[in-house]
Amino acid sequence: MTQLPPGRHGGTDQPYPSATQPGAAQAGARGGSAPPSRRELRELEQQRAAAAEAERRRIAELEERRAEAEWRAEQERQAEAEWRAEQERQAEAEWRAEQERQAEAEWRAEQERQAEAEWRAEQERQAQAEWRAEQERQAEAEWRAEQERQAQAEWRAEQERLAHEQRAARGAVPDERAPWEEPVVEGEERVRAADGRRPAARQGDPATDASDLFAPWDDDPAPRPSRADRRAAAADEVDEHGRPRRRRGRRAMGCLVALLVLVAIGAGAWFFFLQAPVAAFLERFEPPADYSGSGSGEVVFMINEGDGGVTIASNLEDEGVVASAEAFIDEVTSRSPHPTFYPGAYRLASEMSAKSALDALLDPANKLENTFVIQEGLWARDALAAASAATGIPLEELQAAAADPQALGLPAQATSVEGFLFPATYTFPPDVTAQQVVKTLVDRTFQALDEAGVPAEQRWETIVVASLIERESGSEEDSYKVSRVIKNRLDPALFESGLLQFDSTVHYGLGDDSTVETSDAERADASNPYNTYVHPGLPPGPIGNPGDVAIDAALHPADGPWLYFVTVNLETGETVFSATLEEHEAAVQRFLQYLEDNG
């Protein structure tokens, strides 16, 4: 439908100048001008409509292009965000794997170092013991030799004294010298008859040679006195003063008894004072007690974290696996390279030989798989799942054991065990219960806090801050800088809003640990109590389980004015800490350039 101008409907409203008007005269002067016809008006209206339609189409096309550009930009942003998330996830996985590899390598090196140190200490101890035994043996040998020498000297002296007395008893001429100093001179004249009736013997007669005092006197014309005559003569002997001589036999007998007493005393001293060292020395050359074969029955043997070869050997002996710790140590030190022991529960037997016991401990088939690892920053739900998979305890039982934090000794603010399941390697025996597992993990956190010097009233805030550091930092050095950023942002004088603005807290509130990015909607979601883009201050609880480094960083932040940080190289983990927003935006550009260069 076409709408006519008002002047065509009659009335006084004239859209065109009339003849009475000044414009009409001018029109007449130009030859006159008639009002536009209906057709002209229709064409004019159609032209206007076409122009409006063209403008509408142009605007629609622009809107469509803008929408398409926005859609493409959103698609590219999402793709870039997913790619970044995947890159960060891969980088984090590689970093964690590298950390685990380094930790395992360091642990193995430490085990080998401890084993070598224990072996060296044992070798030194054995060498020292052998040296002492050798010293005792030599001292004993010297003492025995001295005792034998003295006894022999005393015996010889006594024998010479008895021989002298016997010669004197038969009437020999007394000599001023001691009996053992009297020289034997061939052809010396002696009186053979005790009663003085025998003639002096001829010099040089072999029968009277002093070397044979009891040789027969065949050339003596007088008969040889009988034994009874000699005894009677000895009894009637008198000295030069006419007094009867004392009988020397009793004195000789007394000396002999005294000698026997001395020998008996020496033997007793040897028995009481040297028997033990000698026995110990002899035992050194005897092999240590050992069983034979692979044993019988079943024994679950535990190797705890930090146990060395000597400790393991002693525990094996105490549990009846081997006959002696020494036999096991000898077996370990005889192998090259020295064996490496790993914590865990092992299936052994009673009364095994040292060789069989060592072979069983080194056989992975005998290790009972009750060992699991809690990584730094791992959420409690994942830590309990790892414990369930390793021990065979149903996850529901572990969750029930962890349901009452205060019964486990956690602070009053804790609503779960999050933050208090310490990252470490744990090994449990096959019969462990869910309560024992959870309590062990929690107690290990208390041990770490006590060793770090954290008072009981500061445990909660320390764990909360440490969990943020654990999730946000990429290295030990950066942990202390992240701690400073947290402290500075919570200081109203330095950062008025008090917003931490950590993606990790948003993820924890969402329960999504699969990405490192957050969307605009997620950052604006005030219903998430862990959203530190909206809620100032610390989150309401820990967002993971921190380790020793994060706890120490929470207590000792680095000095610096930083308020921002961003990782600019996913391969090296290089992170830039900034004090101003301008510096931070420049660092973000470096990160975007890195993504472009490595896309």
Side-chain angles (χ1 to χ4, degrees):
M1 172 179 173
T2 303
Q3 183 179 4
L4 297 176
R8 302 301 293 266
H9 292 281
T12 60
D13 193 3
Q14 296 291 334
Y16 304 104
S18 61
T20 60
Q21 295 174 337
Q26 295 174 3
R30 292 193 301 265
S33 177
S37 64
R38 182 184 298 272
R39 181 171 173 234
E40 291 174 345
L41 291 174
R42 184 181 296 111
E43 290 177 354
L44 180 62
E45 185 176 355
Q46 289 177 350
Q47 290 176 359
R48 290 177 178 174
E53 179 66 18
E55 180 66 17
R56 186 187 64 78
R57 290 180 179 178
R58 186 182 67 80
I59 293 175
E61 184 178 356
L62 290 176
E63 287 292 331
E64 183 177 357
R65 289 179 179 178
R66 185 180 63 80
E68 183 179 2
E70 291 179 354
W71 179 83
R72 288 181 178 177
E74 178 65 18
Q75 291 295 314
E76 292 178 357
R77 189 189 68 79
Q78 291 181 359
E80 182 180 2
E82 292 175 356
W83 180 83
R84 289 180 182 177
E86 179 64 20
Q87 291 295 312
E88 291 183 359
R89 188 190 65 78
Q90 292 180 359
E92 182 178 4
E94 293 175 356
W95 179 83
R96 289 184 177 178
E98 179 65 18
Q99 291 295 312
E100 293 178 1
R101 187 190 65 77
Q102 291 180 359
E104 183 178 2
E106 291 175 357
W107 181 83
R108 288 183 176 177
E110 180 64 17
Q111 290 294 310
E112 294 178 357
R113 188 191 64 77
Q114 290 181 1
E116 184 177 2
E118 292 174 356
W119 178 80
R120 289 182 178 177
E122 180 64 18
Q123 291 296 312
E124 292 178 0
R125 187 188 65 80
Q126 291 181 0
Q128 186 176 10
E130 291 175 356
W131 179 82
R132 289 180 178 175
E134 179 65 17
Q135 292 296 312
E136 293 175 357
R137 187 189 64 78
Q138 291 180 0
E140 180 189 2
E142 292 175 357
W143 180 84
R144 287 183 178 177
E146 180 64 19
Q147 292 296 314
E148 292 178 357
R149 188 186 63 76
Q150 291 179 2
Q152 186 175 9
E154 292 175 358
W155 180 82
R156 288 179 178 175
E158 182 64 19
Q159 290 297 316
E160 292 178 358
R161 189 181 60 77
L162 291 176
H164 178 73
E165 290 179 354
Q166 289 176 358
R167 290 194 298 271
R170 292 185 176 87
V173 178
D175 195 341
E176 296 297 331
R177 292 173 298 181
W180 49 85
E181 295 177 354
E182 181 182 7
V184 178
V185 181
E186 184 178 358
E188 181 181 0
E189 294 184 353
R190 294 182 180 274
V191 179
R192 291 291 182 175
D195 56 359
R197 295 174 297 175
R198 299 291 302 274
R202 298 183 303 272
Q203 290 187 353
D205 191 342
T208 62
D209 195 334
S211 63
D212 191 0
L213 299 178
F214 303 104
W217 295 350
D218 295 337
D219 56 347
D220 194 346
R224 181 177 182 179
S226 64
R227 179 177 297 179
D229 295 337
R230 291 196 300 270
R231 287 179 180 176
D236 294 339
E237 285 183 345
V238 294
D239 58 12
E240 62 273 15
H241 301 289
R243 294 192 300 260
R245 292 182 180 271
R246 291 180 301 171
R247 300 186 62 180
R248 303 292 182 92
R250 292 182 179 178
R251 189 171 66 177
M253 182 60 68
C255 293
L256 181 60
V257 171
L259 179 61
L260 294 176
V261 171
L262 289 174
V263 173
I265 292 174
W270 174 85
F271 180 81
F272 286 106
F273 295 103
L274 295 178
Q275 183 185 29
V278 172
F281 176 73
L282 294 177
E283 288 178 357
R284 299 298 303 172
F285 297 95
E286 296 181 0
D290 194 7
Y291 296 123
S292 61
S294 57
S296 60
E298 180 174 322
V299 175
V300 177
F301 181 74
M302 290 293 301
I303 297 180
N304 300 309
E305 186 77 25
D307 284 355
V310 175
T311 302
I312 294 172
S314 178
N315 293 340
L316 287 170
E317 180 181 359
D318 293 342
E319 297 188 24
V321 177
V322 298
S324 65
E326 291 77 9
F328 186 81
I329 293 174
D330 290 346
E331 183 65 29
V332 171
T333 55
S334 67
R335 302 197 181 185
S336 180
H338 295 315
T340 300
F341 301 102
Y342 299 97
Y346 295 83
R347 183 182 292 106
L348 304 180
S350 297
E351 299 185 358
M352 304 177 71
S353 67
K355 181 179 183 304
S356 298
L358 180 56
D359 291 340
L361 288 175
L362 300 179
D363 187 356
N366 292 320
K367 186 176 182 181
L368 303 176
E369 293 300 332
N370 284 347
T371 299
F372 61 92
V373 178
I374 296 180
Q375 294 289 345
E376 288 82 355
L378 195 67
W379 288 359
R381 69 177 189 188
D382 300 325
L384 294 178
S388 174
T391 61
I393 300 175
L395 180 59
E396 294 76 12
E397 294 185 13
L398 292 170
Q399 292 172 340
D404 188 354
Q406 281 66 46
L408 295 167
L410 270 64
Q413 302 94 319
T415 59
S416 71
V417 294
E418 190 69 81
F420 289 85
L421 304 180
F422 191 77
T425 300
Y426 296 92
T427 300
F428 293 97
D431 57 349
V432 68
T433 64
Q435 291 75 14
Q436 291 172 335
V437 171
V438 175
K439 188 175 186 304
T440 299
L441 272 59
V442 172
D443 289 347
R444 180 64 181 84
T445 299
F446 292 157
Q447 176 187 342
L449 291 171
D450 292 341
E451 292 175 351
V454 179
E457 62 274 11
Q458 297 181 12
R459 284 179 173 178
W460 177 252
E461 182 175 345
T462 300
I463 286 294
V464 173
V465 174
S467 68
L468 298 175
I469 297 171
E470 195 70 79
R471 297 290 297 187
E472 289 289 336
S473 63
S475 66
E476 180 175 344
E477 180 182 359
D478 289 346
S479 297
Y480 296 88
K481 293 183 179 180
V482 172
S483 178
R484 173 55 62 183
V485 171
I486 295 173
K487 190 174 183 65
N488 289 347
R489 283 197 166 223
L490 297 180
D491 186 353
L494 298 177
F495 201 72
E496 184 177 357
S497 70
L499 295 172
L500 294 179
Q501 297 178 324
F502 286 172
D503 289 344
S504 57
T505 60
V506 177
H507 295 149
Y508 186 83
L510 296 173
D512 183 9
D513 195 26
S514 62
T515 181
V516 296
E517 296 288 338
T518 54
S519 65
D520 294 338
E522 291 170 344
R523 291 191 294 272
D525 184 10
S527 65
N528 181 354
Y530 286 84
N531 186 356
T532 53
Y533 284 93
V534 177
H535 304 293
L538 293 173
I543 61 170
N545 293 283
D548 285 322
V549 173
I551 292 174
D552 187 67
L555 299 173
H556 307 98
D559 294 331
W562 311 296
L563 294 171
Y564 310 90
F565 61 91
V566 61
T567 300
V568 297
N569 190 314
L570 299 178
E571 295 180 358
T572 63
E574 179 185 358
T575 301
V576 175
F577 290 81
S578 306
T580 65
L581 182 60
E582 292 76 12
E583 294 174 352
H584 178 63
E585 289 177 345
V588 172
Q589 290 300 318
R590 283 184 58 188
F591 175 61
L592 296 177
Q593 184 64 42
Y594 166 83
L595 294 178
E596 182 178 350
D597 295 341
N598 294 273

